[in-house]
Amino acid sequence: MERKQALGLLKQFLKRENLIKHSLATEACMRNLARRLHQDEESWGLAGLLHDLDYEETKNDFSRHGLVAAQKLEKEGVAKEILDAIEAHSGLKERRTLMEKALYAVDPLTGLIVASALMHPEKKLKALDTGFVLRRFGEKHFARGADREQIRSCSEIGLSLEEFVALCLQAMQEIAEELGL
């Protein structure tokens, strides 16, 4: 599947702008991680872009989140490794591959970075540095929905928390205009 087709599907199934922005942020982070880890940037980017395709449909039955998306995307001919990562990101199956582990860790980090930007005086991603985000990470009442243990699982892909945050922050800063931050 090409990115243009994936973006069309995303906009077909997700109506909330914040979910689309989250998907774009996750895509950017996954692409940057793929470059760093010498993986296929296109497939990692698609996994990030499409990982929450079924969110609006499954938000009231989260036990199906990831599965519904994978079923829809399988019909579109999306590669199995991407489908597996989408299923694994919601914790429904064991994470085995680098892509699966990366997507699981990236998902909540994008929210933490956005929340960090919104509480910064400038309210811009470009104003953030890794240290600022890490300090927010350490505040347990800040952005409670960003599961810290899930983010810390970046160690499973061989990255320190600091390096992981830096790579994702850089990726999100590169698309800050698209994200409205």
Side-chain angles (χ1 to χ4, degrees), residues 1-4 6-7 10 20 22-35 39-52 73 78 81-82 85-86 99 102-103 106 171 175:
M1 176 176 285
E2 299 291 321
R3 184 183 188 274
K4 184 177 179 179
L7 198 52
L10 190 72
I20 293 171
H22 165 67
S23 297
L24 293 170
T26 305
E27 174 194 26
C29 292
M30 289 294 288
R31 285 178 175 278
N32 208 21
L33 288 170
R35 281 190 294 273
Q39 300 296 310
D40 180 54
E41 189 177 333
E42 294 306 313
S43 61
W44 280 48
L46 284 175
L49 186 62
L50 296 168
H51 79 285
D52 275 348
L73 294 168
V78 172
E81 68 176 346
I82 295 170
I86 290 169
M99 183 192 296
L103 184 57
V106 165
I175 64 162

Side-chain angles (χ1 to χ4, degrees), residues 51-161:
H51 79 285
D52 275 348
L53 184 78
D54 64 5
Y55 187 86
E56 290 180 3
E57 185 176 339
T58 62
K59 66 184 174 193
N60 295 322
D61 182 6
F62 226 59
S63 67
R64 297 174 50 236
H65 179 53
L67 295 175
V68 172
Q71 290 168 351
K72 290 176 191 262
L73 294 168
E74 184 175 31
K75 292 176 185 171
E76 298 290 331
V78 172
K80 182 166 176 19
E81 68 176 346
I82 295 170
L83 302 176
D84 288 343
I86 290 169
E87 288 182 15
H89 98 276
S90 57
L92 297 177
K93 62 177 248 171
E94 183 181 351
R95 296 173 305 283
R96 294 187 180 117
T97 68
L98 275 178
M99 183 192 296
E100 292 168 7
K101 293 171 183 180
L103 184 57
Y104 179 75
V106 165
D107 192 18
L109 179 58
T110 62
L112 181 74
I113 292 172
V114 167
S116 297
L118 292 174
M119 68 90 54
H120 191 278
E122 293 182 42
K123 305 220 182 304
K124 297 286 182 194
L125 285 167
K126 299 272 187 203
L128 301 183
D129 60 25
T130 302
F132 186 87
V133 177
L134 287 171
R135 286 189 295 281
R136 302 301 74 78
F137 179 90
E139 298 170 9
K140 72 177 180 178
H141 294 295
F142 179 78
R144 285 186 211 175
D147 186 319
R148 302 321 198 252
E149 287 308 309
Q150 193 171 335
I151 295 169
R152 277 190 193 98
S153 73
C154 64
S155 63
E156 295 176 15
I157 60 171
L159 297 176
S160 69
L161 179 62

